[in-house]
Amino acid sequence: MRKIVHRHLGKMVAGTAIAVAGTAVMVGITLPGSAGADEQGGQGSGQSAQQAGQQGQAAARPGVVEQAPAEGEKGTGRDPLTDDETKRVAQIAVNQQFFGSSENVEGRRGPQRVGVDLAEQDENEPTGANAPRRADVRFYDYKDDTLVTKTVNLDSGKVEQTDTQHGVQPPISSDEAVEAARLLIADPLGAGLKADFKDATGKELTSPDQLLLNSMVFRATSGAQPAVLAQCGDHRCVRLFPKVKNGPWIDSRDLVVDLSARKVGKLG
């Protein structure tokens, strides 16, 4: 009879890929009437518990959370990109031709956006509030496994430069991590992940929405992984570090998802 061995949940994931730190919040409680308890006879100041409680209630004021100030539509100089700017440059960077000739992580038309950052400034350009605002928008094109970076001038609304690279793997975006989890859950190699999730929650794992996901890019090393993962590095491959929401981490570091080939492999 086959022995069933329960996998251990909450393992510490080795390596520098991920570090998890917990923070404890210490709450101090002063009981009514405890003030002066070290005085003679243990009577303190003679204040009743009821009076102390009433004073404590009067001193406690409900917390007030102030709303963050409204974010401007456009930043100034080297200010971080606003949400409006980020959205705008992403739209400018994808013209009709680029959209029709590229493919995202789900295999649909259009490139996969993986990052937007304020572009580096040239040395001979103005500084301070007069500095020009440009953004580098990075896309991964799953159709031919290329990283496409477009530099957009926020003042003119035009793409000033396009750079295409092969074999360059930026950090995994949240959308890519979700798709990797979706592929892993659907694959036979994801059986252990689903079993651990059920042990932790008593429920079936059917969707990435049930997990918190951390991830890192995986690159193949000659002879160090199965053939199904040999193209990782040229292909977009990811290792997932999933966590049950309000629960333990699940150790799945031996599994790699090739997003380009939409396949899952297991490391030895």
Side-chain angles (χ1 to χ4, degrees), residues 54-177:
Q54 289 173 347
Q55 290 184 2
Q57 291 175 0
R61 300 289 183 182
V64 177
V65 179
E66 295 184 2
Q67 287 188 334
E71 188 177 49
E73 294 183 359
K74 183 179 179 181
T76 302
R78 300 298 296 172
D79 289 345
L81 294 170
T82 67
D83 290 343
D84 286 340
E85 287 177 318
T86 299
K87 182 179 179 180
R88 179 169 172 248
V89 295
Q91 292 172 339
I92 293 172
V94 183
N95 57 26
Q96 187 173 359
Q97 181 181 359
F98 185 32
F99 180 84
S101 64
S102 58
E103 189 174 291
N104 67 15
V105 68
E106 296 177 357
R108 299 177 181 177
R109 284 199 305 165
Q112 182 66 48
R113 194 178 85 187
V114 294
V116 182
D117 294 296
L118 198 65
E120 292 294 329
Q121 186 178 357
D122 293 337
E123 293 182 359
N124 59 347
E125 291 181 327
T127 59
N130 295 322
R133 288 181 69 75
R134 298 185 183 89
D136 286 334
V137 191
R138 296 183 301 280
F139 300 94
Y140 197 85
D141 185 356
Y142 278 88
K143 191 169 186 178
D144 57 3
D145 283 296
T146 57
L147 177 67
V148 180
T149 303
K150 290 180 176 281
T151 303
V152 178
N153 187 312
L154 282 156
D155 296 321
S156 66
K158 295 181 180 179
V159 176
E160 293 186 341
Q161 183 177 341
T162 299
D163 183 49
T164 302
Q165 298 171 287
H166 293 269
V168 177
Q169 298 293 339
I172 302 296
S173 68
S174 58
D175 288 341
E176 290 173 305

Side-chain angles (χ1 to χ4, degrees), residues 105 172 174-186 208 213 215 238-240 257-259 264:
V105 68
I172 302 296
S174 58
D175 288 341
E176 290 173 305
V178 168
E179 185 63 16
R182 196 186 322 277
L183 292 171
L184 181 56
I185 291 170
L213 300 170
S215 62
V238 56
R239 295 173 78 177
L240 291 175
V257 181
D258 184 336
L259 289 169
V264 180

